[in-house]
Amino acid sequence: MPPAAALPDFSACAAAKPAMEVMDKFLAAFNAKDTPGFEATFHYPHMRIASYPLQVLTGPGQQDDIFGNLATEDWAKSRWDARTIVQCSQDKAHILATFGRLHADGTEYAKYDGLYVVELRDGFWGITVRSTFAP
């Protein structure tokens, strides 16, 4: 197999900084178990592609019991391990991300990859699609 081509550097792209800021706000609210806070980083409709069935949220308050499910894993918080913008324009960024799930003592017990689509719409930067390998 030929070696993978190097990705272009999108760090100077107009969407790079605001898209990463949205990702930071999303994870900070998620770690605080602040469902309205992390939902505030979404565009609606919002799509989550992970374990079946596909989730299409048409507004806030439609999440599954995320934190109840994570409690069964003894989850305490998550962290970004890597984030790379792989496509970018003035008003949209596609971000490949790897995140770890941690127990309260800081040990990582799971790691997942995903793709996040972050867009500027109606003056608001938000996540439109999350596609991850997390359950």
Side-chain angles (χ1 to χ4, degrees):
M1 199 178 337
L7 292 171
D9 178 6
F10 290 109
S11 60
C13 175
K17 185 174 188 257
M20 289 299 192
E21 288 172 352
V22 168
M23 299 282 285
D24 289 339
K25 288 177 188 172
F26 166 81
L27 193 61
F30 194 86
N31 283 336
K33 298 181 184 177
D34 176 6
T35 302
F38 79 79
E39 288 180 335
T41 67
F42 295 169
H43 279 296
Y44 292 98
H46 177 84
M47 186 179 301
R48 181 172 184 255
I49 305 167
S51 53
Y52 187 79
L54 170 74
Q55 292 181 323
V56 178
L57 309 176
T58 57
Q62 299 175 355
Q63 297 283 322
D64 291 338
D65 182 15
I66 296 166
F67 300 112
N69 294 337
L70 288 170
T72 67
E73 301 176 5
D74 201 24
W75 172 86
K77 69 177 186 174
S78 297
R79 70 166 180 242
W80 296 123
D81 291 325
R83 295 181 297 171
T84 305
I85 297 174
V86 295
Q87 295 173 317
C88 194
S89 70
Q90 290 291 109
D91 57 5
K92 183 173 13 177
H94 295 176
I95 302 169
L96 290 180
T98 301
F99 61 93
R101 289 187 178 164
L102 311 173
H103 293 300
D105 67 2
T107 58
E108 181 180 89
Y109 69 91
K111 186 180 289 282
Y112 300 103
D113 294 318
L115 173 69
Y116 294 73
V117 177
V118 182
E119 299 180 279
L120 173 63
R121 267 198 271 144
D122 301 322
F124 168 70
W125 283 96
I127 302 168
T128 302
V129 176
R130 297 177 287 153
S131 176
T132 72
F133 292 93

